[in-house]
Amino acid sequence: MKQHQFKITLGDELRAKLDDSSSRNFRSVAEDIRQRLEMSFDIEGDGHTLDLIYAILFLAHETMRDFGTTWWGDERARSAFMAAIADQVMSYPISPSDLAAKPLITLGTREQQAGPEDPPEAIGRAIARNYRRRVRPLGLRSDEFDIRRFRQLMRNEKKNDD
């Protein structure tokens, strides 16, 4: 793949953040920028999911302001954060045409196919466990996350689903 160079101007604060991130992750600033750009394009395609990502960031910030601690640092803050996320998720309308688009049996990985009788909560927990098993080992903290490895994993999953 041919690579192209771009000249951009960055303020001191942004450059310092990039320098810090790249040194923590043992990669060049250019590689850090590439991974961040790739991630931004990955989340851009689905408007509801992108909105939910921003909402989660906002809800985490507001939880910290209200409780004086992070959502993962206190059980009450975690409960409030979970309720805020659930409320936000429920605020997105479901289109009846989307409900009939795919039968439930196609959901999940090959190891954990969901059946029509499986409760959504059990399916959701299985999906979350699959995330922790397959993705989280790539980096628990977002600044350690290898977007190229994640994208490769997602591409392989799509191929397996076909």
Side-chain angles (χ1 to χ4, degrees):
M1 170 176 67
K2 184 176 180 181
Q3 296 192 11
H4 302 277
Q5 287 190 341
F6 291 91
K7 290 186 178 189
I8 61 170
T9 304
L10 303 174
D12 292 340
E13 187 176 327
L14 184 55
R15 177 59 198 231
K17 287 178 182 179
L18 285 168
D19 287 338
D20 184 49
S21 175
S22 64
S23 66
R24 274 195 323 270
N25 292 297
F26 305 105
R27 59 183 175 227
S28 68
V29 170
E31 181 59 26
D32 203 59
I33 291 170
R34 273 191 291 277
Q35 287 199 18
R36 289 171 181 276
L37 278 172
E38 286 176 6
M39 192 176 352
S40 72
F41 286 116
D42 286 344
I43 64 175
E44 190 177 75
D46 177 352
H48 287 310
T49 303
L50 179 60
D51 183 75
L52 181 60
I53 290 167
Y54 285 124
I56 289 171
L57 292 170
F58 177 84
L59 298 172
H61 176 76
E62 290 297 300
T63 300
M64 188 167 40
R65 286 184 57 200
D66 286 353
F67 286 87
T69 184
T70 59
W71 63 265
W72 67 88
D74 175 82
E75 194 55 46
R76 288 186 70 235
R78 182 196 323 241
S79 294
F81 184 61
M82 288 177 10
I85 291 172
D87 188 77
Q88 182 62 32
V89 168
M90 296 305 291
S91 75
Y92 298 104
I94 295 176
S95 167
S97 63
D98 290 343
L99 291 175
K102 293 183 180 177
L104 182 60
I105 197 69
T106 63
L107 298 176
T109 64
R110 296 220 189 292
E111 307 92 50
Q112 60 189 41
Q113 286 290 316
E117 71 286 346
D118 292 339
E121 294 81 8
I123 296 168
R125 286 191 298 273
I127 291 167
R129 282 193 299 273
N130 192 41
Y131 168 81
R132 289 190 297 272
R133 182 176 60 84
R134 306 275 319 272
V135 178
R136 187 178 276 173
L138 302 178
L140 178 59
R141 293 182 17 215
S142 62
D143 57 356
E144 295 171 348
F145 192 81
D146 183 346
I147 189 64
R148 287 187 177 183
R149 173 72 179 101
F150 178 74
R151 293 177 91 218
Q152 178 184 19
L153 178 68
M154 296 301 287
R155 277 193 299 270
N156 289 342
E157 285 296 322
K158 287 179 186 173
K159 287 178 187 173
N160 291 337
D161 291 341
D162 294 340

